[in-house]
């Protein structure tokens, strides 16, 4: 954190399309890119529907990931057994 201005600095990667839109917006409105990004971030965090949608999506993904992990745990365990047997066979071969 920059103590003189009480700001944090971080980097965000955006694709060429978004970069072009940001540049066009800033030149049209006459604001700096950092000011435009600050407005966008504040809007994002201040919109309860966006936050609620994100939370709902993360909960759904957590449930889906839990189910996928459960469904494939037997396959993972079986693969681990086969790999262990294969590695032991290689050691015994040498």
């Amino acid at each position: 954190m920059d103590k003189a201005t009480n700001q944090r600095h971080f980097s965000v990667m955006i694709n060429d399309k978004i970069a072009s839109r940001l540049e066009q917006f800033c030149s049209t409105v006459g604001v700096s890119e950092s000011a435009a990004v600050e407005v966008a971030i504040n809007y994002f965090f201040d919109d309860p529907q966006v936050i609620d949608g994100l939370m709902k999506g993360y909960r759904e993904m957590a449930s889906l990931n839990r189910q996928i992990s459960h469904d494939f745990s037997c396959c993972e365990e079986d693969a681990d057994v086969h790999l262990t047997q294969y590695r032991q066979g290689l050691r015994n071969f040498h």
Side-chain angles (χ1 to χ4, degrees):
M1 184 180 313
D2 184 347
K3 294 189 188 286
T5 60
N6 201 25
Q7 295 179 349
R8 291 186 182 187
H9 300 275
F10 63 94
S11 298
V12 176
M13 292 182 63
I14 56 177
N15 63 32
D16 291 340
K17 183 178 178 182
I18 299 296
S20 178
R21 290 180 66 193
L22 178 61
E23 185 178 323
Q24 182 180 14
F25 174 81
C26 291
S27 65
T28 302
V29 177
V31 297
S32 68
E33 288 183 358
S34 60
V37 169
E38 186 175 339
V39 168
I41 289 173
N42 283 327
Y43 174 78
F44 171 80
F45 284 120
D46 289 342
D47 188 341
Q49 288 181 331
V50 170
I51 301 300
D52 185 56
L54 284 171
M55 289 172 32
K56 182 179 178 185
Y58 281 116
R59 283 191 296 269
E60 288 174 7
M61 286 305 300
S63 177
L64 180 60
N65 287 337
R66 193 175 309 112
Q67 183 62 42
I68 290 169
S69 296
H70 177 266
D71 291 348
F72 285 90
S73 64
C74 291
C75 295
E76 291 292 324
E77 291 169 6
D78 190 48
D80 191 43
V81 167
H82 287 288
L83 284 171
T84 300
Q85 290 171 346
Y86 175 76
R87 290 179 186 126
Q88 288 174 345
L90 285 178
R91 273 189 247 135
N92 293 335
F93 182 71
H94 289 107

